[in-house]
Amino acid sequence: MAAKKDSKSTKLVLKVVTGTDAEGKALTSQRSIANVNPAISDDDLLAIGSKLGALQAHDVATISRIDSASLVEEA
């Protein structure tokens, strides 16, 4: 039987630098936006992430797209 993806969802994650620890390493925090349309292009999602990042009080370290789906067997 072949596997098929089902119930695909996408979220946008901004990782922001919130400070440094005692050793000088960057401390980060994540801002997640769920329920993003999975059909959105990577370019459009990056543009949206950049605009949202500009609204943050902290500097943005990374902008990520996380896609997830369930795998089911096809009959």
Side-chain angles (χ1 to χ4, degrees):
M1 299 202 164
K4 173 185 154 186
K5 285 185 184 180
D6 192 30
S7 304
K8 190 171 180 182
S9 65
T10 300
K11 72 178 175 179
L12 171 66
V13 179
L14 301 176
K15 187 180 282 188
V16 296
V17 179
T18 57
T20 55
D21 64 10
E23 297 173 355
K25 294 177 97 177
L27 298 173
T28 60
S29 182
Q30 289 187 0
R31 314 285 191 256
S32 298
I33 296 93
N35 299 320
V36 174
N37 184 345
I40 192 168
S41 72
D42 292 340
D43 289 334
D44 288 343
L45 196 56
L46 178 60
I48 291 168
S50 296
K51 299 275 185 187
L52 290 172
L55 299 173
Q56 300 297 306
H58 302 287
D59 292 334
V60 175
T62 60
I63 299 171
S64 303
R65 174 188 185 131
I66 300 177
D67 293 315
S68 63
S70 300
L71 296 177
V72 296
E73 287 186 12
E74 274 189 320

